[in-house]
Amino acid sequence: MKKALITGITGQDGSFLTEILIAKGYEVHGIIRRASNFNTDRIEHLMGNKQLRLHHGDLSDSANLNKLISTIKPDEVYNLGAQSHVAVSFEVPEYTAQVDAMGTLRILDAVINHYPEARFYQASTSELYGLVQEIPQKETTPFYPRSPYGVAKLYGFWITKNFRESYGLFACNGILFNHESERRGKTFVTRKVTVGLSEILHGIKKESLKMGNLDAKRDWGYAKEYCEAMWMMLQHSSAEDFVIATGRTYTIRDFIERSARYCDWEIVWEGEGVNEKGIDKKSGRVIIEIDPRYFRPAEVELLVGDASKAKKELGWEAKIDLDELIDIMMKHDMKDASYKKVLQLSDNS
Ligand code: NAP
Ligand code: F7E
């Protein structure tokens, strides 16, 4: 039975990847952080599965990583653990560098010292392109990160490539563009919108949804498909870096308008700058307002990826388009909101 070790197993991607690997017959080892409360919601349904083993650990702790690699001897290591929020990285830049940059070095070092036969996947990101130097972005596009997160991930990218070139480690960077799902953290823009709109419709959230820059453009895909691509990279005949993207880009405004249709709202935009509002045309209700708190010190305005290398060499391509993604997320969050409403009503009765 093949063994995999996943850092970040409790995250969006970690949970999908665990399901994929279990279905393929792997023994999956995951590193979880000690928290004051349960942080395993996304993998709760897999608890008790004989193929899943969890270990306490942290990307800031070399001794822990060395011990895990030397005892587990995993065939594949997926380094998904990270402080993954771009806006938060401006508030905790040193911590972000410790985990996202140095953490990558720590686990690579543990692999090379204790089990260099392992194949290594690094969760690289379209945030490396930041102030884009080429449209669309592909593997050869120069990087220009725009946040402490992007800069830390730049180190992660290069140190992974350096271990491949220096020590012959089978190490790949997956340069993944934004990927979302019903498991996406609720402070990322897509999920904030799908949860926010669902809760406004059900009367759980009384006030409007406060948003930042509506004009940024993102290439959004479905997380589950992107996790399949991670596995495909490690089965490839040679260790290489791959862009994973849909090749289509939309503004945050587009995402809001399309999600709002689920609530039977047609959003029209009135006003400008921080005074802009998204209003339901029929009822005149204000659904969206701008709060400058969500603006970033430096913004990534446009991302759109060219995943033709992944299609040619891995046979991977995105199948779920934006409307299908919104369908998955809105269905899930509308159901959640209606449960919450029922609980609220029974609490009040
Ligand atoms: P996520 O939902 O935020 O999950 C991050 C995971 O990292 C969680 O399991 C978290 O644990 C763990 N983690 C945080 N700090 C850690 C530390 N110090 N030591 C060990 N683990 C730590 O992120 P995601 O969306 O699944 O993304 C997975 C990876 O892909 C990340 O590296 C992210 O930067 C990268 N990425 C994401 C996207 C995207 O669009 N989703 C695109 C490109 C690249 P807790 O649950 O305990 O917090
Ligand atoms: O922001 C704008 C915001 O936080 C997307 C991470 O997974 O993908 C993610 O990073 C855009 C930005 O994702 C709000 O300014 C407007 O332009 O959903 P996000 P991100 O920054 O693109 C990359 C690929 C990663 O690697 C990261 O780990 O939306 N925006 N209003 C907002 N963003 C948030 N979060 N909240 C708002 O209210």
Side-chain angles (χ1 to χ4, degrees):
M1 187 185 271
K2 266 192 167 181
K3 285 188 270 186
L5 174 65
I6 305 177
T7 72
I9 195 168
T10 55
Q12 170 188 256
D13 291 3
S15 66
F16 282 122
L17 182 63
T18 303
E19 287 169 4
I20 290 169
L21 295 178
I22 284 180
K24 290 184 190 298
Y26 280 66
E27 180 177 295
V28 178
H29 293 256
I31 298 183
I32 56 165
R33 299 195 291 170
R34 190 269 157 186
S36 66
N37 223 327
F38 291 116
N39 59 356
T40 48
D41 278 12
R42 292 188 180 100
I43 50 169
E44 207 54 54
H45 59 295
L46 300 170
M47 293 297 197
N49 187 307
K50 287 194 177 67
Q51 285 167 252
L52 178 64
R53 315 263 165 93
L54 298 177
H55 311 265
H56 278 116
D58 199 295
L59 283 161
S60 61
D61 189 328
S62 303
N64 166 266
L65 297 172
N66 279 292
K67 191 171 155 210
L68 289 174
I69 298 286
S70 62
T71 53
I72 298 166
K73 296 189 172 44
D75 300 285
E76 293 169 14
V77 176
Y78 295 88
N79 185 35
L80 311 186
Q83 190 303 92
S84 70
H85 205 283
V86 173
V88 172
S89 78
F90 287 97
E91 293 170 41
V92 290
E94 187 179 336
Y95 174 73
T96 303
Q98 270 303 334
V99 177
D100 300 12
M102 297 310 289
T104 306
L105 173 62
R106 288 186 192 101
I107 190 156
L108 277 166
D109 226 26
V111 168
I112 215 71
N113 289 329
H114 297 288
Y115 200 61
E117 298 88 335
R119 292 188 167 203
F120 184 85
Y121 174 86
Q122 168 61 10
S124 285
T125 165
S126 51
E127 283 293 301
L128 297 174
Y129 299 118
L131 187 62
V132 298
Q133 304 293 297
E134 186 180 23
I135 299 170
Q137 297 85 51
K138 50 182 185 281
E139 291 80 2
T140 50
T141 303
F143 297 138
Y144 194 138
R146 291 273 279 173
S147 64
Y149 169 79
V151 175
K153 284 282 186 176
L154 187 71
Y155 180 87
F157 175 92
W158 282 110
I159 198 66
T160 298
K161 191 161 169 147
N162 183 256
F163 269 59
R164 177 165 82 216
E165 293 175 356
S166 307
Y167 310 121
L169 184 69
F170 192 105
C172 305
N173 283 288
I175 308 172
L176 271 53
F177 282 61
N178 297 55
H179 47 280
E180 320 292 313
S181 72
E182 68 283 16
R183 298 185 194 171
R184 184 60 144 152
K186 292 177 186 168
T187 60
F188 295 97
V189 75
T190 56
R191 192 82 198 287
K192 178 171 167 178
V193 169
T194 58
V195 170
L197 297 186
S198 304
E199 294 194 346
I200 292 174
L201 184 76
H202 284 85
I204 294 160
K205 187 172 166 57
K206 310 282 181 216
E207 70 282 11
S208 62
L209 188 59
K210 310 292 184 293
M211 303 294 304
N213 176 10
L214 302 178
D215 296 314
K217 287 182 153 179
R218 289 292 183 274
D219 177 335
W220 285 294
Y222 184 43
K224 199 173 183 174
E225 293 186 336
Y226 284 45
C227 293
E228 191 74 39
M230 297 173 186
W231 176 80
M232 291 169 111
M233 283 179 218
L234 294 198
Q235 315 313 309
H236 193 46
S237 52
S238 54
E240 290 176 41
D241 306 325
F242 292 93
V243 160
I244 298 296
T246 71
R248 289 177 293 274
T249 192
Y250 299 88
T251 61
I252 313 303
R253 205 183 287 281
D254 287 329
F255 189 93
I256 293 171
E257 288 170 12
R258 285 163 191 256
S259 306
R261 288 181 204 144
Y262 254 88
C263 307
D264 214 13
W265 292 330
E266 187 189 340
I267 300 290
V268 291
W269 302 96
E270 287 182 10
E272 271 178 34
V274 292
N275 296 316
E276 187 171 7
K277 290 180 178 26
I279 299 171
D280 170 39
K281 195 174 171 186
K282 236 183 293 163
S283 64
R285 179 170 182 186
V286 176
I287 309 291
I288 305 288
E289 285 182 282
I290 304 299
D291 185 336
R293 262 191 317 143
Y294 297 110
F295 293 156
R296 296 172 181 185
E299 179 61 282
V300 172
E301 296 292 352
L302 164 71
L303 290 173
V304 58
D306 173 356
S308 45
K309 180 181 173 190
K311 185 174 179 189
K312 187 162 169 265
E313 293 191 25
L314 302 176
W316 182 92
E317 77 183 307
K319 295 194 179 64
I320 304 273
D321 70 16
L322 186 67
D323 286 321
E324 290 169 301
L325 174 62
I326 289 175
D327 189 65
I328 293 168
M329 295 176 72
M330 283 302 293
K331 269 193 186 132
H332 180 276
D333 292 334
M334 290 283 248
K335 198 165 153 195
D336 252 19
S338 70
Y339 281 147
K340 270 195 198 164
K341 188 67 191 173
V342 170
L343 287 178
Q344 216 177 53
L345 291 173
S346 62
D347 273 357
N348 293 339
S349 62

